[in-house]
């Protein structure tokens, strides 16, 4: 029986195990769920108005949270920061739902840009994933996600961009995110796992520093 493939890392050889492959699949599927939920939310917002959009927020936030659970990032503080942004953004969504009611969340956000401060960290976490994907794989759609999300949010918050332009930026970002997700599935799992010898080295350094 053939064993797990062995790769040569910076600090020594490592293997991509079945557990690694499950984590990578979980990451890719979770990010795809978040991407499709975002696209569906924006489509419904455009074609049917602002009512009853909240169900799409559940797979969007849930998929993003699971993607951040399974993503492989060498720098643990950066990983923890993205998870903290996700948690802050989810807290902001709950606050918005309590304040405006689930059915009026989108209308309230559209009318009062200050709510961007509350929910913005959720999308900052998503932009962070886009940056990680661009840094690792140089995919143009990844840098599109990274730049368009903050541009749309800050444009709405500041009032410098017309609502129609904000909507177009979000729609373009959502389409690029779906494209990014779909292009990841043919990639080998090792691409998303990264160099496990680096993870092992950094963990050894942290343990030495804590001793």
């Amino acid at each position: 029986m053939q064993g797990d493939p062995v790769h040569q890392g910076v600090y020594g050889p490592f293997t991509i195990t079945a557990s690694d492959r499950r984590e990578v699949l979980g990451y890719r599927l979770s990010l795809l769920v978040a991407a499709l939920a975002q696209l569906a939310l924006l489509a419904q917002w455009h074609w049917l108005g602002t009512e009853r959009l909240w169900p799409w927020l559940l797979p969007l936030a849930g998929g993003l949270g699971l993607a951040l659970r399974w993503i492989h990032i060498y720098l643990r503080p950066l990983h923890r920061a993205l998870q903290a942004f996700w948690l802050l953004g989810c807290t902001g969504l709950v606050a918005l739902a309590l304040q405006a009611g689930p059915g009026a969340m989108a209308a309230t956000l559209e009318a009062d840009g200050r709510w961007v401060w509350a929910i913005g960290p959720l999308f900052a976490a998503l932009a962070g994933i886009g940056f990680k994907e661009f840094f690792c794989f140089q995919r143009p759609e990844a840098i599109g996600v990274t730049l368009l999300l903050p541009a749309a949010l800050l444009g709405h918050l500041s009032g410098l961009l017309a609502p129609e332009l904000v909507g177009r930026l979000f729609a373009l970002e959502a389409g690029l995110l779906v494209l990014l997700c779909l292009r990841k599935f043919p990639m080998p799992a090792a691409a998303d796992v990264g160099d496990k010898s680096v993870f092992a080295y950094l963990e050894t350094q942290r343990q030495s520093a804590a001793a």
Side-chain angles (χ1 to χ4, degrees):
M1 180 177 178
Q2 187 177 5
D4 294 318
V6 178
H7 301 265
Q8 183 60 44
V10 174
Y11 298 101
F14 64 92
T15 59
I16 302 297
T17 65
S19 177
D20 293 327
R21 290 189 286 272
R22 285 193 297 269
E23 285 191 1
V24 168
L25 180 60
Y27 167 66
R28 294 174 180 178
L29 288 173
S30 298
L31 191 60
L32 179 61
V33 166
L36 292 175
Q38 183 190 30
L39 189 63
L41 184 151
L42 292 170
Q44 183 175 327
W45 193 332
H46 177 73
W47 296 108
L48 300 177
T50 59
E51 294 184 1
R52 294 182 294 277
L53 292 176
W54 67 267
W56 295 116
L57 295 173
L58 301 179
L60 171 57
L64 181 57
L66 288 174
L68 289 170
R69 165 67 177 82
W70 288 312
I71 194 172
H72 288 77
I73 298 177
Y74 293 125
L75 299 177
R76 180 176 289 185
L78 177 58
H79 192 179
R80 294 290 183 261
L82 293 180
Q83 291 176 324
F85 281 138
W86 173 82
L87 183 59
L88 286 172
C90 289
T91 303
L93 284 176
V94 171
L96 177 58
L98 292 175
Q99 175 68 27
M105 292 172 68
T108 302
L109 177 63
E110 190 175 40
D112 188 353
R114 291 175 297 178
W115 278 104
V116 170
W117 291 112
I119 70 167
L122 182 74
F123 295 96
L126 182 55
I129 290 181
F131 178 78
K132 181 264 181 187
E133 291 290 335
F134 178 75
F135 182 81
C136 292
F137 306 112
Q138 287 76 52
R139 293 286 175 82
E141 61 269 22
I143 198 63
V145 172
T146 306
L147 296 178
L148 291 174
L149 266 175
L153 289 171
L154 292 175
H156 177 59
L157 176 65
S158 64
L160 294 177
L161 298 181
E164 294 79 8
L165 180 55
V166 171
R168 291 191 185 99
L169 290 178
F170 270 122
L172 179 57
E173 175 272 324
L176 290 175
L177 181 59
V178 172
L179 176 61
L180 170 67
C181 293
L182 294 177
R183 290 186 69 190
K184 291 189 68 63
F185 283 95
M187 296 169 59
D192 275 329
V193 173
D195 187 340
K196 291 175 67 176
S197 74
V198 174
F199 287 104
Y201 172 78
L202 292 175
E203 182 61 29
T204 299
Q205 294 295 102
R206 280 192 291 267
Q207 291 177 359
S208 299

